Amino acid sequence: MSLKVYLAGPEVFLANAREQLDRKIALTRAAGLIPLAPGDLAIPPQPTKRQLGHAISAVDESMMDNADAIIANLTPYHGLSADTGTCFELGYMCARGKLAYGYTNVAAPMRERAVAHYGGDVHHGSDGRLRGADGLMIEDVDMADNLMMQGGIERRGGALIVHDAAPDRLYTDTTAFEHCLELLAERAGLR
Amino acid sequence: MSLKVYLAGPEVFLANAREQLDRKIALTRAAGLIPLAPGDLAIPPQPTKRQLGHAISAVDESMMDNADAIIANLTPYHGLSADTGTCFELGYMCARGKLAYGYTNVAAPMRERAVAHYGGDVHHGSDGRLRGADGLMIEDVDMADNLMMQGGIERRGGALIVHDAAPDRLYTDTTAFEHCLELLAERAGLR
């Protein structure tokens, strides 16, 4: 019996969302795994925007409950860090004891991106911690994003794959995603 | 028996982290609840930065496992959206069926912040969706952040409290946090 994999990431927001999700779905099937992707299920019309949000949240959670694993696209989105919905979903799946993998298409680790965010205006505080101009601590644990994500993945035997995608392919390059599929298929004994 | 509440948020990164966490801890106790805060447990030294990250991740997850509820500070952090570690933790607690509440100290909803992020350069795509100059869709479901977070909270009977804090008190204003404490204490039958 094959593994069902929830494909988490900001692809749903892309102008070519359907095309990109279909590409990931096809790659997942080619790896011998069963894809479950947000956007696959039609959401019935709702009386208010807020209720539409609730309906999507309910559908996505039920897809996760039905999945055996998650591959989370943690490429930075609208800021220094990953898409927050994807982070919620990764935490959700870790808590449920599902297999967890992740990837990012930006090679620079969290520390380097944060230093760039402050234009290099960083300093070591009186506690020895690296801090931005606004005093906020820069996480410096050799990880791609906040330690809860990479820690949650790696402590469960998963992996966070880092890939250096071309800037114009930040959300469409599937190299690291395919690497995650290989690792997951291997773990599931499919190859 | 009183509820144990995990205090999730970017406070650990503040220059006055200990002071701010102690303030939230005292407020939680005053509400008749038992606070569990990241940073409360000492992390033993580790051979590498990565292993330190894993150790902190393990301690924080075990605190969440031990808690009955979460109050997540979802104030935007280093970008448009909430701290990603906090989002992971909120998803984790929702998946475990714990009580979930959240708050933000920025009054502008996700849609308004995203439009500002694009300097107003937004348009409706051929699919009718609001999109930024880069084509990325702007979530428009009358919520404070990505719908997985607010949906996860509200669908479980919790609430996301929105407060308009002064810019220099963005991470220290506890008005909305105290409102969450009241709601949680009421739900726990403590008042």
Side-chain angles (χ1 to χ4, degrees):
Chain A
M1 210 190 76
S2 188
L3 281 185
K4 284 176 281 189
V5 192
Y6 184 74
L7 307 180
E11 284 80 4
V12 288
F13 302 122
L14 298 179
N16 66 339
R18 192 62 267 164
E19 182 192 347
Q20 183 64 15
L21 285 167
D22 284 344
R23 194 176 292 146
K24 292 181 79 170
I25 285 168
L27 288 166
T28 305
R29 291 210 178 102
L33 303 162
I34 300 168
L36 297 177
D40 276 2
L41 294 181
I43 311 285
Q46 302 291 327
T48 68
K49 288 183 180 185
R50 182 73 65 93
Q51 281 165 288
L52 176 63
H54 286 186
I56 299 171
S57 157
V59 163
D60 289 355
E61 281 193 17
S62 72
M63 291 182 101
M64 290 195 284
D65 293 341
N66 189 32
D68 306 297
I70 183 171
I71 299 179
N73 179 354
L74 297 170
T75 303
Y77 185 80
H78 277 168
L80 252 187
S81 281
D83 166 52
T84 48
T86 303
C87 298
F88 177 99
E89 293 175 341
L90 180 57
Y92 189 100
M93 292 296 271
C94 283
R96 289 280 168 106
K98 310 289 178 93
L99 298 175
Y101 288 78
Y103 68 95
T104 173
N105 279 340
V106 171
M110 185 70 185
R111 178 192 159 128
E112 190 179 326
R113 297 200 310 279
V115 170
H117 170 80
Y118 288 110
D121 187 7
V122 300
H123 62 279
H124 284 89
S126 54
D127 57 359
R129 303 271 174 80
L130 189 64
R131 294 186 178 278
D134 53 9
L136 295 174
M137 191 185 104
I138 293 172
E139 219 172 67
D140 184 20
V141 288
D142 184 26
M143 290 192 183
D145 207 314
N146 183 288
L147 63 86
M148 293 307 292
M149 266 98 68
Q150 189 155 351
I153 289 172
E154 292 180 343
R155 289 175 40 248
R156 286 172 173 80
L160 196 161
I161 305 299
V162 176
H163 175 65
D164 191 12
D168 65 339
R169 303 209 59 220
L170 210 53
Y171 299 114
T172 51
D173 187 319
T174 57
T175 312
F177 173 68
E178 290 173 63
H179 193 162
C180 288
L181 287 172
E182 277 168 34
L183 293 173
L184 192 52
E186 205 171 297
R187 190 154 166 196
L190 298 175
R191 57 180 67 188
Chain B
M1 209 190 76
S2 187
L3 280 185
K4 285 177 280 190
V5 192
Y6 184 74
L7 308 180
E11 284 81 3
V12 289
F13 302 123
L14 299 179
N16 67 338
R18 191 63 266 164
E19 182 192 346
Q20 183 64 16
L21 285 167
D22 284 344
R23 194 175 293 146
K24 292 181 78 170
I25 285 168
L27 287 166
T28 306
R29 290 210 178 103
L33 303 162
I34 301 168
L36 298 176
D40 276 1
L41 293 180
I43 311 286
Q46 302 290 327
T48 67
K49 288 181 179 183
R50 182 74 65 94
Q51 282 166 287
L52 176 63
H54 287 185
I56 299 171
S57 156
V59 163
D60 288 355
E61 280 194 17
S62 71
M63 291 181 102
M64 288 195 285
D65 292 341
N66 189 31
D68 306 296
I70 183 171
I71 298 178
N73 179 353
L74 297 170
T75 303
Y77 184 79
H78 277 170
L80 252 187
S81 281
D83 167 52
T84 48
T86 303
C87 297
F88 176 100
E89 293 174 341
L90 180 58
Y92 189 100
M93 293 296 272
C94 283
R96 288 282 168 103
K98 310 291 178 91
L99 298 175
Y101 288 78
Y103 67 95
T104 174
N105 279 340
V106 171
M110 185 69 184
R111 177 192 160 129
E112 189 179 327
R113 297 199 310 278
V115 170
H117 170 81
Y118 289 109
D121 187 8
V122 299
H123 62 279
H124 284 89
S126 54
D127 57 358
R129 303 270 174 81
L130 189 64
R131 295 186 177 277
D134 54 9
L136 295 174
M137 190 185 105
I138 294 172
E139 220 172 66
D140 184 20
V141 288
D142 184 25
M143 290 192 182
D145 206 314
N146 183 287
L147 62 87
M148 294 306 292
M149 266 99 68
Q150 189 155 350
I153 289 172
E154 293 180 342
R155 288 175 39 247
R156 285 173 174 80
L160 197 161
I161 304 299
V162 176
H163 176 65
D164 190 12
D168 65 339
R169 302 209 60 220
L170 210 53
Y171 300 114
T172 51
D173 186 319
T174 56
T175 312
F177 173 69
E178 290 172 65
H179 192 161
C180 288
L181 287 172
E182 276 167 36
L183 293 173
L184 192 52
E186 204 170 299
R187 189 153 164 197
L190 297 174
R191 58 179 65 188

